Amino acid sequence: MAKVISINSSREKGVSKERMEEGFFKENHGLVGDAHAGKWHRQVSLLAIESIEKIADRSYIAKFAENITTEGVCLHELAEGTKLKVGDSVQEVTQIGKECHNSCAIKEEIGKCIMPREGIFTKVLVSGKVEVDDEIEVLADGE
């Protein structure tokens, strides 16, 4: 079963995010209170713990704090347009990976970052609460 293992937010861009037990993901906005949220295609960032473990051990999860850290789903192999039910929210994959900028907090602290290769971004289609340990379901087309 794929699940949420961490929810993370920051009030400003370019800094490490802080862990939360739950968050509200608002339609066409993203994680309420997060500096990266807004009306654009990268409202929510997701990264799998399996990707983090390729370059750091599990204790570094807080350092690789995208909005949602997942377990049990290979995020970077999903196609753009794939819909995910994450907790009570529904999100659509809008981008796989990103261009790395050298000034990110993760690269400065750890030495490298996996997000540019294996992280994904989504936009929120249906608002809802997401909690640690919530199930993540990859929805079939049309659901």
Side-chain angles (χ1 to χ4, degrees):
M1 172 184 84
K3 68 178 185 173
V4 173
I5 61 168
S6 178
I7 301 165
N8 314 285
S9 181
S10 61
R11 297 242 177 243
E12 58 185 277
K13 295 181 179 183
V15 299
S16 293
K17 296 183 183 296
E18 294 182 21
R19 294 181 78 168
M20 311 162 53
E21 287 301 309
E22 65 180 47
F24 187 78
F25 291 78
K26 183 178 174 185
E27 181 180 334
N28 200 26
H29 178 76
L31 176 57
V32 172
D34 186 68
H36 296 85
K39 291 187 178 188
W40 68 319
H41 70 289
R42 289 172 31 172
Q43 296 172 355
V44 181
S45 58
L46 295 89
L47 186 62
I49 189 68
E50 294 87 349
S51 293
I52 294 169
E53 289 174 340
K54 289 179 181 177
I55 60 174
D57 67 50
R58 193 173 278 254
S59 67
Y60 280 94
I61 188 172
K63 303 292 185 194
F64 291 88
E66 300 310 322
N67 293 129
I68 301 174
T69 308
T70 68
E71 184 172 55
V73 61
C74 193
L75 297 172
H76 66 280
E77 291 182 359
L78 297 172
E80 288 182 15
T82 301
K83 292 177 180 62
L84 303 170
K85 185 172 187 315
V86 184
D88 294 332
S89 75
V90 177
Q91 303 179 27
E92 179 180 350
V93 177
T94 57
Q95 183 175 328
I96 311 295
K98 69 174 187 173
E99 184 177 329
C100 184
H101 53 88
N102 292 325
S103 63
C104 86
I106 302 305
K107 190 167 185 179
E108 289 177 18
E109 290 183 45
I110 306 298
K112 56 183 164 180
C113 181
I114 196 81
M115 181 63 186
R117 292 188 309 279
E118 297 191 12
I120 69 168
F121 294 93
T122 64
K123 64 181 178 183
V124 180
L125 302 178
V126 176
S127 298
K129 183 172 71 169
V130 177
E131 299 179 85
V132 171
D133 290 327
D134 275 352
E135 185 175 350
I136 299 170
E137 181 182 355
V138 178
L139 300 175
D141 289 339
E143 287 191 51

